[in-house]
Coordinates of all heavy atoms in Angstrom, one line a residue:
Chain B
V293 N 98.6 142.0 107.9 CA 98.1 141.0 108.8 C 96.8 141.5 109.5 O 95.9 140.7 109.8 CB 99.1 140.6 109.8 CG1 98.6 139.6 110.8 CG2 100.4 140.1 109.2
S294 N 96.6 142.8 109.7 CA 95.4 143.3 110.3 C 94.2 142.9 109.5 O 93.1 142.7 110.1 CB 95.5 144.8 110.5 OG 96.7 145.2 111.1
M295 N 94.3 142.8 108.2 CA 93.2 142.6 107.4 C 92.5 141.2 107.7 O 91.3 141.1 107.7 CB 93.6 142.5 105.9 CG 92.5 142.5 104.9 SD 91.5 144.0 105.1 CE 90.0 143.6 104.2
F296 N 93.3 140.3 108.1 CA 92.8 139.0 108.5 C 91.9 139.1 109.7 O 90.9 138.5 109.8 CB 93.9 138.0 108.7 CG 93.5 136.6 108.8 CD1 93.1 135.8 107.7 CD2 93.5 136.0 110.1 CE1 92.7 134.5 107.8 CE2 93.1 134.6 110.2 CZ 92.7 133.9 109.1
M297 N 92.4 139.9 110.7 CA 91.6 140.1 111.9 C 90.2 140.8 111.6 O 89.2 140.4 112.1 CB 92.4 141.0 112.9 CG 93.7 140.4 113.2 SD 93.6 138.7 113.9 CE 95.2 138.1 113.4
Y298 N 90.3 141.8 110.7 CA 89.0 142.5 110.4 C 88.0 141.5 109.7 O 86.8 141.5 110.1 CB 89.3 143.7 109.4 CG 90.2 144.7 110.0 CD1 91.1 145.4 109.1 CD2 90.2 145.1 111.3 CE1 91.9 146.4 109.6 CE2 91.1 146.0 111.8 CZ 91.9 146.7 111.0 OH 92.7 147.7 111.4
T299 N 88.5 140.8 108.7 CA 87.5 140.0 108.0 C 87.0 138.8 108.7 O 85.9 138.4 108.6 CB 88.1 139.5 106.6 OG1 89.3 138.8 106.9 CG2 88.4 140.7 105.7
I300 N 87.9 138.2 109.6 CA 87.5 137.1 110.4 C 86.4 137.5 111.3 O 85.4 136.7 111.6 CB 88.7 136.5 111.2 CG1 89.5 135.6 110.2 CG2 88.2 135.7 112.3 CD1 88.9 134.3 109.8
K301 N 86.5 138.7 111.9 CA 85.5 139.2 112.8 C 84.1 139.3 112.1 O 83.1 138.8 112.6 CB 85.9 140.6 113.3 CG 84.9 141.3 114.2 CD 85.4 142.6 114.7 CE 84.3 143.4 115.4 NZ 83.3 143.9 114.6
E302 N 84.1 139.8 110.9 CA 82.8 140.0 110.2 C 82.3 138.6 109.7 O 81.1 138.3 109.7 CB 83.0 140.9 109.0 CG 83.6 142.2 109.3 CD 82.8 143.0 110.4 OE1 81.6 142.7 110.6 OE2 83.5 143.8 111.1
R303 N 83.3 137.7 109.3 CA 82.9 136.4 108.9 C 82.1 135.6 109.9 O 81.2 134.9 109.7 CB 84.1 135.7 108.4 CG 83.9 134.2 108.0 CD 85.1 133.6 107.4 NE 84.9 132.3 107.0 CZ 85.3 131.2 107.7 NH1 86.0 131.3 108.8 NH2 85.1 130.0 107.2
E304 N 82.5 135.9 111.2 CA 81.9 135.2 112.3 C 80.4 135.4 112.4 O 79.6 134.6 112.7 CB 82.6 135.5 113.6 CG 82.3 134.5 114.7 CD 82.7 133.1 114.4 OE1 83.7 133.0 113.7 OE2 82.1 132.2 114.8
D305 N 80.0 136.7 112.1 CA 78.5 137.0 112.1 C 77.8 136.2 111.0 O 76.7 135.7 111.2 CB 78.3 138.5 111.8 CG 78.8 139.3 113.0 OD1 78.8 138.8 114.2 OD2 79.1 140.5 112.8
I306 N 78.4 136.1 109.8 CA 77.8 135.3 108.7 C 77.7 133.9 109.1 O 76.7 133.2 108.9 CB 78.7 135.5 107.4 CG1 78.9 136.9 107.1 CG2 78.0 134.7 106.3 CD1 77.7 137.6 106.6
L307 N 78.8 133.3 109.7 CA 78.8 131.9 110.1 C 77.7 131.7 111.1 O 77.1 130.6 111.2 CB 80.1 131.5 110.6 CG 81.3 131.5 109.6 CD1 82.5 131.0 110.3 CD2 80.9 130.6 108.5
T308 N 77.4 132.7 112.0 CA 76.4 132.5 113.0 C 75.0 132.4 112.3 O 74.2 131.6 112.7 CB 76.4 133.7 114.0 OG1 77.6 133.8 114.6 CG2 75.3 133.6 115.0
L309 N 74.8 133.2 111.3 CA 73.5 133.1 110.6 C 73.4 131.7 109.9 O 72.3 131.1 109.9 CB 73.5 134.2 109.5 CG 73.3 135.6 109.9 CD1 73.3 136.5 108.7 CD2 72.0 135.8 110.7
I310 N 74.5 131.3 109.3 CA 74.4 130.0 108.6 C 74.2 128.8 109.6 O 73.4 127.9 109.4 CB 75.7 129.7 107.8 CG1 75.8 130.8 106.7 CG2 75.8 128.3 107.2 CD1 77.1 130.7 105.9
D311 N 74.9 129.0 110.7 CA 74.8 128.0 111.8 C 73.3 127.9 112.3 O 72.8 126.9 112.7 CB 75.7 128.4 112.9 CG 76.0 127.3 114.0 OD1 75.3 126.2 113.9 OD2 76.8 127.5 114.9
M312 N 72.7 129.1 112.4 CA 71.3 129.2 112.9 C 70.4 128.3 112.0 O 69.4 127.8 112.5 CB 70.9 130.7 112.7 CG 69.7 131.1 113.5 SD 69.5 132.9 113.2 CE 67.8 133.1 113.7
V313 N 70.7 128.2 110.7 CA 69.8 127.5 109.8 C 70.2 126.0 109.7 O 69.4 125.1 109.7 CB 69.8 128.2 108.4 CG1 68.8 127.4 107.5 CG2 69.5 129.6 108.5
T314 N 71.5 125.8 109.5 CA 72.0 124.5 109.2 C 72.5 123.7 110.4 O 72.7 122.5 110.3 CB 73.1 124.5 108.1 OG1 74.3 125.1 108.7 CG2 72.7 125.4 107.0
G315 N 72.8 124.4 111.4 CA 73.4 123.7 112.6 C 74.9 123.4 112.5 O 75.4 122.8 113.4
A316 N 75.5 124.0 111.5 CA 77.0 123.8 111.4 C 77.6 125.0 110.8 O 76.9 125.7 110.0 CB 77.3 122.6 110.5
R317 N 78.8 125.3 111.1 CA 79.5 126.5 110.6 C 80.0 126.3 109.2 O 79.9 127.2 108.4 CB 80.6 127.0 111.6 CG 80.1 127.5 112.9 CD 81.2 127.6 113.9 NE 81.9 128.8 113.9 CZ 83.1 129.0 113.3 NH1 83.7 128.0 112.7 NH2 83.7 130.1 113.4
I318 N 80.7 125.2 109.0 CA 81.3 125.0 107.6 C 80.9 123.7 106.9 O 80.9 123.8 105.7 CB 82.8 125.1 107.7 CG1 83.4 124.2 108.8 CG2 83.2 126.6 108.0 CD1 84.9 124.1 108.8
T319 N 80.6 122.7 107.6 CA 80.3 121.4 106.8 C 78.8 121.1 107.1 O 78.5 120.5 108.1 CB 81.1 120.3 107.2 OG1 81.2 120.1 108.6 CG2 82.5 120.4 106.7
H320 N 77.9 121.6 106.3 CA 76.5 121.8 106.6 C 75.6 120.6 106.5 O 74.7 120.3 107.2 CB 75.9 123.0 105.8 CG 76.8 124.2 105.8 ND1 77.1 124.9 106.9 CD2 77.5 124.7 104.8 CE1 77.9 125.9 106.6 NE2 78.2 125.8 105.3
S321 N 75.9 119.8 105.4 CA 75.0 118.7 105.1 C 73.5 119.2 105.1 O 72.7 118.5 105.7 CB 75.1 117.5 106.0 OG 76.4 117.0 105.9
Y322 N 73.2 120.2 104.4 CA 71.9 120.9 104.6 C 71.0 120.7 103.4 O 69.8 120.5 103.6 CB 72.2 122.4 104.8 CG 70.9 123.2 104.9 CD1 70.0 123.0 106.0 CD2 70.6 124.2 104.0 CE1 68.9 123.8 106.1 CE2 69.4 124.9 104.1 CZ 68.6 124.7 105.2 OH 67.5 125.4 105.3
L323 N 71.5 120.7 102.2 CA 70.6 120.5 101.1 C 70.2 119.1 101.0 O 70.8 118.1 101.4 CB 71.4 120.9 99.8 CG 71.2 122.4 99.3 CD1 71.6 123.3 100.5 CD2 72.1 122.6 98.1
R324 N 69.0 118.9 100.4 CA 68.5 117.6 100.2 C 67.9 117.5 98.8 O 67.6 118.5 98.2 CB 67.4 117.2 101.2 CG 67.9 117.0 102.6 CD 68.7 115.8 102.7 NE 69.2 115.5 104.1 CZ 70.3 116.0 104.6 NH1 71.1 116.7 103.9 NH2 70.6 115.7 105.9
F325 N 67.7 116.3 98.2 CA 67.2 116.2 96.9 C 65.8 116.7 96.9 O 64.9 116.1 97.5 CB 67.3 114.7 96.4 CG 68.7 114.2 96.6 CD1 69.0 113.3 97.6 CD2 69.7 114.6 95.8 CE1 70.2 112.8 97.8 CE2 71.0 114.1 96.0 CZ 71.3 113.2 97.0
G326 N 65.5 117.7 96.1 CA 64.2 118.3 96.0 C 63.9 119.3 97.0 O 62.8 119.9 97.0
G327 N 64.8 119.6 97.9 CA 64.6 120.7 98.9 C 65.7 121.0 99.8 O 66.9 120.9 99.4
V328 N 65.4 121.3 101.0 CA 66.4 121.6 102.0 C 66.0 120.8 103.3 O 64.8 120.5 103.5 CB 66.5 123.1 102.4 CG1 67.1 123.8 101.2 CG2 65.2 123.7 102.7
R329 N 67.0 120.6 104.2 CA 66.7 119.7 105.3 C 65.7 120.4 106.3 O 64.8 119.7 106.7 CB 68.0 119.5 106.1 CG 67.9 118.3 107.1 CD 69.2 118.1 107.8 NE 69.5 119.1 108.7 CZ 70.7 119.8 108.8 NH1 71.6 119.6 107.9 NH2 70.9 120.7 109.7
D330 N 65.9 121.6 106.6 CA 65.0 122.3 107.5 C 64.6 123.7 107.0 O 65.4 124.3 106.2 CB 65.6 122.5 108.9 CG 65.8 121.2 109.6 OD1 64.8 120.5 109.8 OD2 67.0 120.8 109.9
D331 N 63.5 124.2 107.4 CA 63.1 125.5 107.0 C 63.9 126.6 107.8 O 64.6 126.3 108.8 CB 61.6 125.7 107.3 CG 60.9 126.7 106.4 OD1 61.6 127.6 105.9 OD2 59.7 126.5 106.1
L332 N 63.8 127.8 107.3 CA 64.4 128.9 108.0 C 63.8 129.0 109.4 O 62.6 128.9 109.6 CB 64.3 130.2 107.3 CG 64.9 130.4 105.9 CD1 64.6 131.7 105.4 CD2 66.4 130.2 106.0
P333 N 64.6 129.2 110.5 CA 64.0 129.4 111.8 C 63.3 130.7 111.9 O 63.5 131.7 111.2 CB 65.2 129.3 112.7 CG 66.3 129.7 111.9 CD 66.0 129.3 110.5
A334 N 62.3 130.8 112.9 CA 61.6 132.0 113.1 C 62.6 133.1 113.5 O 63.5 132.8 114.3 CB 60.6 131.8 114.2
G335 N 62.4 134.3 113.0 CA 63.3 135.4 113.4 C 64.6 135.5 112.6 O 65.4 136.3 112.9
F336 N 64.7 134.6 111.6 CA 65.9 134.7 110.8 C 66.1 136.0 110.1 O 67.2 136.6 110.1 CB 65.9 133.5 109.8 CG 67.1 133.5 108.9 CD1 68.4 133.0 109.3 CD2 67.1 134.0 107.6 CE1 69.5 133.0 108.5 CE2 68.2 134.1 106.8 CZ 69.4 133.6 107.2
K337 N 65.0 136.5 109.5 CA 65.1 137.7 108.7 C 65.5 138.9 109.7 O 66.4 139.7 109.3 CB 63.8 138.1 108.1 CG 63.8 139.3 107.2 CD 62.5 139.5 106.5 CE 62.5 140.8 105.7 NZ 61.3 141.1 105.0
E338 N 64.9 138.9 110.9 CA 65.2 140.0 111.8 C 66.7 140.0 112.3 O 67.3 141.0 112.6 CB 64.3 139.9 113.0 CG 62.9 140.3 112.7 CD 62.1 139.3 111.8 OE1 62.3 138.1 112.0 OE2 61.3 139.7 110.9
K339 N 67.2 138.8 112.3 CA 68.7 138.6 112.7 C 69.6 138.9 111.5 O 70.7 139.5 111.7 CB 68.9 137.2 113.2 CG 68.5 136.9 114.6 CD 69.6 136.2 115.3 CE 69.5 136.3 116.9 NZ 68.3 135.7 117.4
A340 N 69.1 138.6 110.3 CA 70.0 138.7 109.1 C 70.2 140.1 108.7 O 71.3 140.6 108.3 CB 69.5 137.8 108.0
L341 N 69.1 140.9 108.7 CA 69.2 142.3 108.1 C 70.2 143.2 108.8 O 71.0 143.9 108.1 CB 67.8 142.9 108.1 CG 66.9 142.3 107.1 CD1 65.5 143.0 107.2 CD2 67.4 142.4 105.7
P342 N 70.3 143.2 110.2 CA 71.3 144.0 110.8 C 72.8 143.6 110.4 O 73.6 144.4 110.2 CB 71.1 143.8 112.3 CG 69.7 143.4 112.4 CD 69.4 142.6 111.2
V343 N 73.0 142.3 110.3 CA 74.3 141.8 109.9 C 74.7 142.3 108.5 O 75.8 142.7 108.2 CB 74.3 140.2 110.0 CG1 75.6 139.7 109.4 CG2 74.2 139.8 111.4
L344 N 73.7 142.2 107.6 CA 73.9 142.6 106.2 C 74.2 144.1 106.1 O 75.0 144.6 105.4 CB 72.8 142.2 105.3 CG 72.5 140.7 105.2 CD1 71.3 140.5 104.3 CD2 73.7 140.0 104.6
N345 N 73.4 144.9 106.9 CA 73.6 146.4 106.9 C 75.0 146.7 107.5 O 75.7 147.6 106.9 CB 72.5 147.0 107.8 CG 71.2 147.1 107.1 OD1 71.2 147.2 105.8 ND2 70.1 147.1 107.8
N346 N 75.4 146.0 108.5 CA 76.7 146.3 109.0 C 77.8 145.9 108.0 O 78.8 146.6 107.8 CB 77.0 145.4 110.3 CG 78.4 145.5 110.8 OD1 78.8 146.6 111.2 ND2 79.1 144.4 110.8
L347 N 77.6 144.9 107.3 CA 78.5 144.4 106.3 C 78.7 145.4 105.1 O 79.8 145.6 104.6 CB 78.1 143.1 105.7 CG 79.2 142.2 105.1 CD1 80.3 142.0 106.1 CD2 78.6 140.8 104.7
K348 N 77.6 146.1 104.8 CA 77.7 147.1 103.8 C 78.7 148.2 104.2 O 79.5 148.7 103.4 CB 76.3 147.8 103.5 CG 75.4 146.9 102.7 CD 74.1 147.7 102.5 CE 72.9 146.8 102.3 NZ 71.6 147.5 102.4
K349 N 78.6 148.7 105.4 CA 79.5 149.7 105.9 C 80.9 149.2 105.9 O 81.9 149.8 105.5 CB 79.1 150.1 107.3 CG 77.8 150.7 107.5 CD 77.7 151.4 108.8 CE 76.2 151.6 109.3 NZ 75.6 150.4 109.8
V350 N 81.1 147.9 106.4 CA 82.4 147.3 106.5 C 83.1 147.2 105.1 O 84.3 147.5 105.0 CB 82.3 146.0 107.2 CG1 83.4 145.1 106.8 CG2 82.1 146.2 108.7
I351 N 82.3 146.9 104.1 CA 82.8 146.7 102.7 C 83.3 148.1 102.2 O 84.4 148.2 101.6 CB 81.8 146.1 101.8 CG1 81.5 144.7 102.1 CG2 82.2 146.2 100.3 CD1 80.3 144.1 101.5
S352 N 82.6 149.1 102.5 CA 83.0 150.5 102.1 C 84.3 150.9 102.8 O 85.2 151.5 102.3 CB 81.9 151.5 102.4 OG 80.8 151.2 101.6
D353 N 84.4 150.5 104.1 CA 85.6 150.7 104.9 C 86.8 150.0 104.2 O 87.9 150.6 104.1 CB 85.5 150.3 106.3 CG 84.5 151.2 107.1 OD1 84.2 152.3 106.6 OD2 84.1 150.7 108.2
Y354 N 86.6 148.7 103.9 CA 87.7 148.0 103.3 C 88.1 148.7 102.0 O 89.3 148.8 101.7 CB 87.3 146.6 102.9 CG 87.0 145.7 104.1 CD1 86.2 144.5 103.9 CD2 87.4 146.0 105.4 CE1 85.9 143.7 105.0 CE2 87.1 145.1 106.5 CZ 86.3 144.0 106.2 OH 86.0 143.2 107.3
E355 N 87.2 149.1 101.2 CA 87.5 149.7 99.9 C 88.3 150.9 100.1 O 89.2 151.2 99.3 CB 86.2 149.9 99.1 CG 86.4 150.3 97.7 CD 85.1 150.4 96.9 OE1 84.1 150.9 97.5 OE2 85.1 150.0 95.8
E356 N 87.9 151.8 101.0 CA 88.6 153.0 101.3 C 90.0 152.7 101.7 O 91.0 153.4 101.3 CB 87.8 153.8 102.3 CG 88.4 155.2 102.5 CD 87.7 155.9 103.7 OE1 86.6 155.5 104.1 OE2 88.4 156.8 104.2
M357 N 90.1 151.7 102.6 CA 91.5 151.3 103.1 C 92.3 150.9 101.9 O 93.5 151.2 101.8 CB 91.3 150.2 104.1 CG 92.5 149.8 104.8 SD 92.2 149.0 106.4 CE 91.0 147.7 105.9

Side-chain angles (χ1 to χ4, degrees):
Chain B
V293 179
S294 308
M295 192 61 198
F296 191 74
M297 303 303 153
Y298 298 147
T299 55
I300 281 289
K301 175 178 175 288
E302 307 307 331
R303 179 174 179 254
E304 198 58 34
D305 290 335
I306 306 288
L307 292 182
T308 301
L309 289 178
I310 296 176
D311 194 355
M312 194 179 165
V313 183
T314 70
R317 291 166 86 260
I318 52 173
T319 51
H320 315 292
S321 296
Y322 177 65
L323 268 54
R324 290 293 183 269
F325 308 105
V328 291
R329 194 179 75 231
D330 292 301
D331 208 331
L332 296 177
F336 176 79
K337 182 176 178 180
E338 287 70 38
K339 280 224 161 63
L341 289 178
V343 171
L344 297 177
N345 284 330
N346 175 65
L347 204 53
K348 283 183 208 168
K349 296 196 203 78
V350 157
I351 291 168
S352 297
D353 289 345
Y354 294 162
E355 189 172 41
E356 191 188 335
M357 184 158 53

